[in-house]
Amino acid sequence: MLQITRSADLTMVGATGGAWVAPLGTPSPVGLGTPLAPWAGLGAISDDGLKFGIDEDHKEFSPWGVTSAFRTQITKSVRTFGLTLWETNNPVVKSLVFRIPVTDLAPDKDGIARFAESASPKPDRRAFYFLTVDGDTMEGFYVPAGEVTDRSDVTYKSEEMAGYDITITAYPDASNVTVYHAFTASIPPAANGAPKASDVITPKPTTGQTTPTQADFAPAA
């Protein structure tokens, strides 16, 4: 008889979450939760949440006389994160969206901050950390090198919340990694017998802030 094991504990609804930015080269936060300085929060995010984009192209190769693909080659693999930042007067948000140092946005004695947009903006790569939370279930994304590559129009009207709708593209680091993932792992209930302890995959404990590698994730002893 067919048995299909289902577990609601292994599903996720992006109920809430956050986004943080830090200078390029900032190590990954330790664990899942609110990161410490120099990470700076990007504040309120629209109820559209966070969109993790995967953009890939493939080249198919078919041998002579065969109509199906013999093999494929990935020719493009890009990861992006899309979100709308609602705190448009947050200096950290202004700094990110307009590619200027946050220190340049200090207000004057009258409480007014000023900046000018360059006609020839320079690249502005930074580190990013995104966290999605559904109760005790969490998933984090650490981008060691990313940049705002798309900005949508901003509408100011009484019926809408003004926001910066941006797309952040992840670039590879020295290890050729674009995004480091971390999540709260659970073992699905077994249809025949309980899972063995050796089946459980848990992160090895780390101290201090370090960039995660594949060696940090291994079967428990």
Side-chain angles (χ1 to χ4, degrees):
M1 181 177 179
L2 176 64
Q3 291 185 338
I4 300 177
T5 302
R6 300 180 176 90
S7 176
D9 292 338
L10 300 179
T11 65
M12 187 171 190
V13 175
T16 187
W20 292 263
V21 64
L24 185 67
T26 301
S28 169
V30 175
L32 291 170
T34 303
L36 304 176
W39 292 98
L42 295 176
I45 297 171
S46 78
D47 52 5
D48 289 331
L50 175 70
K51 182 177 181 180
F52 175 44
I54 301 175
D55 182 11
E56 290 189 339
D57 290 338
H58 301 76
K59 171 66 176 178
E60 295 182 347
F61 299 92
S62 301
W64 193 10
V66 178
T67 57
S68 62
F70 183 72
R71 64 167 292 182
T72 60
Q73 179 70 31
I74 298 176
T75 58
K76 175 184 177 183
S77 184
V78 178
R79 301 294 182 268
T80 59
F81 293 86
L83 67 166
T84 300
L85 305 175
W86 270 354
E87 295 186 12
T88 55
N89 279 357
N90 183 331
V92 176
V93 173
K94 289 282 192 189
S95 168
L96 175 65
V97 172
F98 294 99
R99 307 184 186 97
I100 54 178
V102 69
T103 52
D104 290 355
L105 297 174
D108 59 21
K109 61 182 179 62
D110 296 321
I112 299 175
R114 296 177 172 83
F115 69 94
E117 291 192 66
S118 172
S120 303
K122 298 179 180 179
D124 182 31
R125 296 191 179 191
R126 309 187 189 194
F128 294 89
Y129 179 65
F130 305 97
L131 181 67
T132 59
V133 181
D134 180 12
D136 293 332
T137 302
M138 294 182 286
E139 183 165 4
F141 308 86
Y142 166 58
V143 179
E147 185 176 24
V148 174
T149 53
D150 188 47
R151 301 180 295 176
S152 297
D153 296 341
V154 181
T155 301
Y156 296 94
K157 58 186 300 187
S158 61
E159 297 90 354
E160 292 184 21
M161 177 76 74
Y164 296 132
D165 182 4
I166 62 173
T167 299
I168 296 165
T169 298
Y171 299 127
D173 62 7
S175 300
N176 200 36
V177 176
T178 54
V179 182
Y180 291 87
H181 300 252
F183 64 98
T184 51
S186 300
I187 295 300
N192 296 303
K196 303 185 296 295
S198 59
D199 294 333
V200 180
I201 306 298
T202 55
K204 293 181 179 179
T206 57
T207 58
Q209 292 200 345
T210 57
T211 299
T213 64
Q214 291 183 352
D216 291 323
F217 297 86

